[in-house]
Amino acid sequence: MSYYDIDSILTDAEVCPSPISLLVMTLLPSLILYAYGSTDGDQKVPCKFELDLADLGYLDNNPNEPLKAGTQMSLPLWLAEMLALAGTGEESKAPVTLNLPDALSNRVMQALKADPRAVTVRDQSAHFYGLGTRILDLFDDRELSEAMRKTFVTRAAEIALHARKGGDDAVGGSSEEFLRGLDEWERVLFRKAHDGTKASKEWMDKVKKH
């Protein structure tokens, strides 16, 4: 049976509807989507499979073999999250366990603690804070949470300063260079701060004319 033979999978499940079979059936569309439709833009996290899963060896480049317990690989966060939260019973463990992605590694956290402004967070992830928020939904890590909070607060102050100094279009020169290092949340903050400063200046100019 090949992994894409849906009829065979359904037949096997009817004959022996084990929790693992039901789990594989539930996640099969997502697993196939990852195998054939994932992009380099998917944020990946390191995972370890805790169970033997039949017919899923293609995830590890072994299409005719089961995926063995202990196999380690990086999966897109959306898929890793689904697998980590899936269960086969009230007392059974999830199919995979997750580790922190490189973007939130101890090395990065230590650099942020030393000086958040010196770290180009976009080089870690274009969605650095979004990734951190998702990971904190899965990990009870107070140290990571505090480091992320302090990083955002410290960098937000500098973002506001640059936004006030930026030109009318908020790009060009030092502003453009500064923007390159910001993650998506920070870029939105920069734009809103710049637009607010520009609107305030225009309002003050109108008041002075009257």
Side-chain angles (χ1 to χ4, degrees):
M1 179 185 70
S2 60
Y3 65 85
Y4 53 80
D5 190 344
I6 303 297
D7 290 336
S8 296
I9 293 174
L10 293 175
T11 300
D12 288 347
E14 291 176 357
V15 173
C16 184
S18 67
I20 294 298
S21 296
L22 295 175
L23 175 63
V24 171
M25 287 171 58
T26 301
L27 297 177
L28 186 62
S30 296
L31 294 169
I32 293 177
L33 176 63
Y34 164 62
Y36 286 98
S38 63
T39 67
D40 292 338
D42 291 328
Q43 177 64 57
K44 292 183 171 60
V45 293
C47 302
K48 178 182 178 182
F49 281 82
E50 302 292 347
L51 304 170
D52 289 340
L53 297 176
D55 304 310
L56 293 185
Y58 63 89
L59 292 176
D60 196 32
N61 296 319
N62 292 306
N64 297 319
E65 300 293 333
L67 190 63
K68 295 291 187 179
T71 299
Q72 299 188 41
M73 67 176 67
S74 292
L75 295 174
L77 178 57
W78 60 268
L79 178 55
E81 185 176 10
M82 290 176 61
L83 291 168
L85 296 178
T88 58
E90 292 183 358
E91 298 182 356
S92 61
K93 58 185 177 182
V96 304
T97 54
L98 277 62
N99 293 311
L100 290 176
D102 290 341
L104 302 176
S105 66
N106 183 63
R107 173 185 59 81
V108 175
M109 290 300 107
Q110 292 305 316
L112 290 173
K113 289 178 182 179
D115 186 358
R117 297 166 298 179
V119 179
T120 306
V121 296
R122 194 174 187 86
D123 287 348
Q124 313 307 320
S125 173
H127 301 275
F128 183 75
Y129 297 104
L131 172 63
T133 300
R134 292 281 297 280
I135 290 297
L136 286 171
D137 286 339
L138 301 171
F139 290 84
D140 183 15
D141 192 327
R142 293 187 178 182
E143 184 177 358
L144 173 61
S145 176
E146 183 63 12
M148 295 289 291
R149 185 190 68 81
K150 287 185 176 180
T151 295
F152 185 78
V153 170
T154 301
R155 289 172 62 88
E158 186 174 18
I159 289 169
L161 180 62
H162 277 265
R164 288 196 297 270
K165 292 181 178 180
D168 289 341
D169 59 359
V171 296
S174 60
S175 292
E176 184 175 4
E177 183 66 25
F178 181 72
L179 278 170
R180 290 196 185 101
L182 305 183
D183 97 316
E184 290 302 314
W185 283 19
E186 292 178 331
R187 289 187 175 188
V188 171
L189 179 62
F190 180 93
R191 173 59 66 179
K192 289 185 178 297
H194 173 268
D195 290 348
T197 299
K198 182 180 178 181
S200 296
K201 182 177 181 299
E202 291 174 349
W203 181 80
M204 289 298 297
D205 290 342
K206 290 180 180 179
V207 170
K208 290 178 181 179
K209 290 180 180 179
H210 291 82

